[in-house]
């Protein structure tokens, strides 16, 4: 098999994942898109490892070893990311990235300078 086939498939997977990261608002879907991008990198690593091992008869298989490390990092990333998303969902009631960003940042210069005492007086 030619190197172009897995390289094109990897590029398509990576572009699909990149679109998912940039266009989605749900944190779970963004994490899934990051996983898709990492799988595209894994496919590229294995394809180039096979191609280079045929050319030089070297049996190091460093691309496959890097793929195992990438899979390990991806598993840790999804585990920690999912725990953070669940904690944020329990605390705020939404997993929408835009709403989380809007509630974390002040909207104007007036809100940034308001102290805790002024907020307490306004609610009393």
């Amino acid at each position: 098999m030619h190197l172009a086939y897995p390289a094109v498939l990897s590029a398509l997977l990576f572009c699909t994942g990149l679109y998912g990261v940039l266009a989605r608002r749900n944190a779970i879907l963004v994490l899934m898109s990051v996983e898709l991008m990492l799988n595209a990198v894994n496919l590229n690593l294995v394809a180039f490892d096979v191609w280079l091992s045929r050319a030089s008869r070297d049996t190091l298989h460093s691309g496959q070893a890097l793929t195992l490390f990438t899979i390990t990092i991806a598993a840790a990333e999804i585990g920690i990311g999912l725990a953070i998303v669940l904690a944020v969902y329990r605390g705020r009631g939404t997993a929408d990235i835009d709403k989380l960003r809007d509630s974390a940042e002040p909207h104007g210069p007036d809100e940034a300078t308001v102290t805790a005492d002024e907020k307490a007086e306004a609610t009393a």
Side-chain angles (χ1 to χ4, degrees):
M1 180 174 11
H2 295 287
L3 181 63
Y5 298 131
V8 168
L9 178 62
S10 175
L12 289 174
L13 283 174
F14 192 85
C15 289
T16 304
L18 185 64
Y19 174 74
V21 167
L22 296 176
R24 299 293 177 191
R25 299 191 194 289
N26 192 344
I28 302 282
L29 293 176
V30 170
L31 287 174
M32 288 174 60
S33 298
V34 169
E35 290 292 322
L36 194 61
M37 291 168 60
L38 287 173
N39 285 330
V41 170
N42 288 340
L43 178 63
N44 239 351
L45 283 170
V46 171
F48 276 98
D49 180 52
V50 169
W51 181 66
L52 289 174
S53 68
R54 277 192 208 157
S56 66
R57 298 288 180 219
D58 187 16
T59 59
L60 254 178
H61 298 297
S62 57
Q64 293 178 13
L66 285 173
T67 299
L68 288 175
F69 284 119
T70 308
I71 290 170
T72 305
I73 296 297
E77 175 259 333
I78 198 68
I80 292 171
L82 201 55
I84 291 171
V85 168
L86 286 174
V88 168
Y89 182 76
R90 285 181 184 167
R92 302 226 178 137
T94 184
D96 189 5
I97 294 174
D98 289 336
K99 289 180 184 175
L100 295 176
R101 185 181 62 216
D102 290 342
S103 65
E105 296 175 355
H107 293 288
D110 297 333
E111 291 184 24
T113 58
V114 173
T115 63
D117 294 333
E118 292 172 351
K119 286 182 182 179
E121 289 175 9
T123 59

